[in-house]
Every structure is written in structure tokens, then in C-alpha cells.
Amino acid sequence: MRILQLLPELKVGGVERGTIDLSEYLVSQGHESAVVSGGGDLVKLLNQHGARHFKLPIGSKNLKALIQIKNLRNIYNDFRPDIIHVRSRFPAWINFFALKQTSFKKPIVISTFHGLYSKPFYSKSMSYADEIIAISKTVKDYIKKNYKIDLNNLHLIYRGCDIAQFNNSKPEDLWLDNWYKDFPQTQNKILLTLPGRITSWKGIEDFLLLLTHIDLNKYHGLIPGHVKKNKERYYKSLLSLVKKYNLQSRVTFCGSRSDIANIYKISNIVFNLSSKPEPFGRTIIEAAACGTRVMGWDRGGVKESLEMINPKGLVPFGDVKQLVNEIPKMLAEEAPQTIPEIFTKNHLVKATI
């Protein structure tokens, strides 16, 4: 079969990683795989496993981008997919109109809802599919509430992490030496880590507030995450907050890291403190797979994940004081040794096929 996936870009992120994982598995099973996106660093991974990439700016949310309907239709007429898998709202709209006129049999359309979208009308494009995948029970409930679909075509498939990359093997000595050379302030500290993009809803303010309530002679905060250009002003406001709290030597912004698995492994606790309910909470799964304790707010996809990994890591939303109180208790708990099979890449790709 020929399977083509659509998403805005192939840069760092959970949606992007899932796209690569599925494409690699498809090729390994003898299928032809292709991806349409605006490009990015992960395109090279498609090339490595023999998939095709069609570069097309289908993620720009403006009327000018609608010109890509014709260009996408041309790609379809060239590749002639049997299945199209849409992973984002605006590309789904372009796909919807591109399929109005094609020179071959209409392919099966599958969509994956990766989020709890704030604009249901705009997001209706994701419901225009023959089969729909929800990445958590939280997302599945959201779909059932907001869209008129055939529930027989709605499927729950959790996101999965690659346990070949995220596992509890120890980081190499060379990596550790380089890490402590670059970040000597983290050595011999209990490391509390909040991974994720630097954006206003990831709970960074709560994390910084948390650090003001603990003994920072013992603890150090890590915040690995990419800062987009349009988030630079917000990032500067966080640095001002760090200064206000006198945390300059107690918390480290690491930037975007390709070695995030090793950062999980040297962390004592990894947190997810998003101010909005997470549709899934991939960082919780990845960190637990690396043998690291995990904590987060008691709601959304994070709650689902923690209930199956370690429910003691759940804390009522927004209760920073309770979060502080639970840290010593969590450190006394045994760290997870593995994650449920349903949270693995292997289960994800097989269930999707």
C-alpha cells in the first residue's frame, strides 16, 4: 500500500516524532511511505529509512496557503496514495478540498486528533475522515462531545515512546563528563526537571514558584525546551521572574536538547505542570521509560498516564504547596522500571496499521 501523512512541519515535537515512527514501520513492512510537510530537521530521518518527502507549506493559517490545494492535488496524482493520514487541522482542510478533484480512486482518510482544540468549528476538518484516532481517553471524550461522527470509527491509540531510545540504561561516562562540564551547577544535586517548549501554558511559573519553597542547597531545577522566536519576549519575562525569586544559580534553562533521554535519566523527578489539560503528556511516558520518577497535575492526559504508572505522582491542579510536600515522599518511592506496553512505539505503530 501507499500511505501518505500530512502535517505542518518536521521539527522537534511529539506529532513529528510519531509521524517518523509510523513511516519507518510502514517501510519495514513493505509499504510505500511518504510525508507532506513544510520541512524541518527530521526530514533526514525519512530519507534514512527510505520514505519520500514532499515539501509543501501546508501549515500556514492564512488564505494565501489555500493555493496549496492545487499543489497537494498534484502530489496526490503523482504518489496515488491508498491511505492519507492527516495530523493537523489546516493541512486537513487543504486535504479536504484537494480530494475534490483527483485522477484516481479516492483514498481512505484517517485523522489523528493530537489535541483538545480550542476552536471546534475550525477543527471540523479533522472529523472529515473515514477513521479517527484519539491519542487518549481525554481526547476521545472531547471528540465525542464536540463532533458528529460515527463512534464505530473512533479509535483510542495512546502515543508511544521508543524504548530503544527511552530506557533505563545509564548514560555513557563521556556524556556525563560533558554534561557536568557544561552544567557544573547540577552536579551532586537532586535534579527536578520540567521539559517542554518554552510557552506560557507549560507551567513554568508554577515550577519556578515550587523552587522557592525547597532547600536549593540540595535541589536544582532544569528546564530543557526550545524557545521559538515568537516566544522570546515570554522567555525574557521568565528570566526576570528567576531574578525576582533569586534563582539565578538554582535553575538552568537548557534550550532544545537532542539528548533529552539522558537528561531524564539524570533527573530525580520529572514534572508536567501544564496550565491547560494535556491531551496526552508524552514527557511523563518518556521519563518513566527512562526509570525516572514522574509527577503532574491530576487532570487530562497526564492523569491517565500517571494512573497507570504511579498514581502517587498525581497532585491537585495548581496546588504548589501540596506539590512541595509530595516531593520528599516521591523521592522515597522506588522509581518506575518500565512502562505499560500501550505506551510504547511498538504498540502504537501496530495498532495504527
Side-chain angles (χ1 to χ4, degrees), residues 112-323:
T112 294
F113 275 71
H114 289 277
L116 305 172
Y117 305 127
S118 59
K119 299 177 181 178
F121 178 79
Y122 170 62
S123 308
K124 283 180 69 174
S125 59
M126 297 294 286
S127 69
Y128 299 152
D130 300 294
E131 305 288 341
I132 298 172
I133 297 170
I135 66 169
S136 66
K137 290 179 183 176
T138 300
V139 173
K140 186 176 182 180
D141 290 343
Y142 160 83
I143 296 171
K144 290 162 66 175
K145 180 180 177 181
N146 289 282
Y147 304 93
K148 292 182 179 180
I149 62 167
D150 184 344
L151 296 181
N152 292 319
N153 298 333
L154 178 60
H155 312 277
L156 170 62
I157 304 177
Y158 285 107
R159 299 300 85 190
C161 76
D162 185 355
I163 55 176
Q165 178 184 3
F166 299 97
N167 54 62
N168 56 13
S169 64
K170 294 182 179 180
E172 295 181 357
D173 290 340
L174 179 60
W175 183 89
L176 289 169
D177 290 342
N178 289 332
W179 171 268
Y180 289 122
K181 181 180 178 181
D182 293 338
F183 304 104
Q185 67 274 27
T186 65
Q187 196 156 17
N188 300 318
K189 298 286 187 180
I190 298 172
L191 297 181
L192 308 179
T193 301
L194 182 74
R197 300 187 310 275
I198 305 301
T199 189
S200 60
W201 63 276
K202 285 295 184 180
I204 302 172
E205 289 90 344
D206 281 343
F207 185 67
L208 295 177
L209 182 59
L210 157 69
L211 296 177
T212 67
H213 292 288
I214 58 179
D215 182 0
L216 291 175
N217 291 316
K218 294 169 52 180
Y219 296 92
H220 190 88
L222 288 179
I223 305 177
H226 177 61
V227 183
K228 289 187 175 181
K229 284 189 176 181
N230 64 346
K231 300 298 180 182
E232 288 178 354
R233 179 177 295 181
Y234 172 66
Y235 176 58
K236 289 179 181 178
S237 74
L238 291 175
L239 295 181
S240 297
L241 194 58
V242 167
K243 186 175 181 180
K244 176 183 176 181
Y245 289 159
N246 196 28
L247 294 173
Q248 294 95 320
S249 62
R250 309 298 188 181
V251 63
T252 300
F253 286 86
C254 310
S256 180
R257 305 285 307 195
S258 60
D259 54 357
I260 188 65
N262 281 343
I263 295 176
Y264 290 147
K265 292 174 184 181
I266 65 170
S267 300
N268 297 90
I269 303 177
V270 168
F271 297 84
N272 185 305
L273 303 175
S274 296
S275 60
K276 298 190 295 186
E278 286 271 17
F280 179 60
R282 178 182 285 269
T283 56
I284 290 290
I285 301 302
E286 291 176 344
C290 290
T292 302
R293 300 168 186 85
V294 284
M295 297 181 71
W297 299 134
D298 187 9
R299 62 178 189 166
V302 171
K303 178 181 180 180
E304 285 183 55
S305 303
L306 279 170
E307 281 180 337
M308 286 186 264
I309 295 169
N310 181 14
K312 292 182 180 180
L314 289 168
V315 177
F317 172 65
D319 193 340
V320 175
K321 184 177 180 180
Q322 182 66 18
L323 196 62

